[in-house]
Amino acid sequence: MDPMEGYRPSERRRAAMRRKEMPLWQELPLLLIVAFCLAVLIRTFLVQAFYIPSGSMENTLAIQDRVLVNKVVYDMRDPLRGEIVVFRGTDDWAPEVTESVSNTFMAKLGRTIGDLVGVSRPGERDFIKRVIGLPGDKVACCDEQGRITVNGVGIDEAYIAEGFNSDLSQPPIAGQCTSRRFAEVTVPAGEMFVMGDHRSVSQDARCQGTVPIENIIGRAFVVVWPSDRFTSLNVPDVWKRYAEQYPSAAAAHPVKARAERPAVATDGFPVLLALALSARSGMSLVTRRRRLRA
């Protein structure tokens, strides 16, 4: 005999749904696993949070800031001058910050989990700088006003804080970025010329060489932590005006497509996922209560 016989269609649906519902103590671990897997997927393919370990980008980025990095934007277009990018340095690039880390089991486990969901510190070979020159550009310093020049045009870099520029009077020294002056560099095809905003401490393309565009991990587009420093990282107006007046020397030197998408989830996405999943659980509970009252 059918146990549902004698029930109205609406009552049958309610009874079937009650039988299929998963208890909260079983549903919650499943939701956490789904959230973790989504966070790993987002970190690997879409966006990642990066911790700023040094002062080379001050005052735009401060030490211990966290920025979100878009990992797919350069799969659809080339980088632009003035954008802030995270990239893997070449063998010629010396690490800016080296810190001793604990090798205990719990410390290693924490670093592994943090790396999976994208909240760990960047590796020694990960750098964050501003794009100054693209393939075919001629970058040098300085003009009569002490500014860097790109293809002979002086750039007014308002984002460099007072006292944060490198020494104009010091002569250039090979292998060091202590001087503001450097000889003209023609950016090779498929590479970019990058510099930090704190020129007096940044170790960048002035002394360590250009970087392959295929080494880019992604574009930093927003500061998400600490909350009082929340701000978007837009292309400065000076670079927008430059792009309008001088379209691009790179047009004759097309950039090399990235061979692979390196593994940069964000601090923000796991939070949003958690809120969404919590809301789902909450709705589930409300639905249960309503059904019990019915």
Side-chain angles (χ1 to χ4, degrees), residues 101-124:
V101 295
S102 172
N103 288 317
T104 64
F105 173 77
M106 292 305 297
K108 290 181 179 179
L109 179 62
R111 288 196 296 270
T112 300
I113 295 175
D115 183 64
L116 283 173
V117 298
V119 297
S120 61
R121 298 190 178 196
E124 290 184 356

Side-chain angles (χ1 to χ4, degrees), residues 81 132-134 137-157 180-187 193 195 199 239 242:
R81 302 182 194 92
I132 302 297
L134 294 173
D137 285 343
K138 299 180 184 298
V139 185
C141 192
C142 303
D143 65 5
E144 294 180 353
Q145 299 178 44
R147 303 173 300 180
I148 64 167
T149 63
V150 179
N151 301 314
V153 179
I155 308 296
D156 291 310
E157 298 179 283
R180 192 185 310 184
R181 300 182 182 277
F182 59 91
E184 183 178 272
V185 175
T186 300
V187 183
F193 191 97
M195 300 176 73
R199 300 285 161 79
W239 290 111
Y242 182 92

Side-chain angles (χ1 to χ4, degrees), residues 65-116:
D65 278 356
R66 283 190 182 274
V67 299
L68 295 188
V69 173
N70 184 330
K71 299 184 65 178
V72 298
V73 61
Y74 298 131
D75 291 329
M76 297 177 284
R77 66 166 176 83
D78 299 336
L80 303 176
R81 302 182 194 92
E83 290 183 324
I84 297 174
V85 296
V86 174
F87 58 93
R88 298 189 310 276
T90 66
D91 292 339
D92 294 332
W93 280 62
E96 287 187 316
V97 176
T98 55
E99 300 178 357
S100 58
V101 295
S102 172
N103 288 317
T104 64
F105 173 77
M106 292 305 297
K108 290 181 179 179
L109 179 62
R111 288 196 296 270
T112 300
I113 295 175
D115 183 64
L116 283 173

Side-chain angles (χ1 to χ4, degrees), residues 87-90 93 187-188 190-194 205 208-216:
F87 58 93
R88 298 189 310 276
T90 66
W93 280 62
V187 183
E191 302 202 359
M192 60 183 178
F193 191 97
V194 294
Q208 303 197 95
T210 57
V211 178
I213 289 175
E214 64 180 4
N215 281 20
I216 292 179

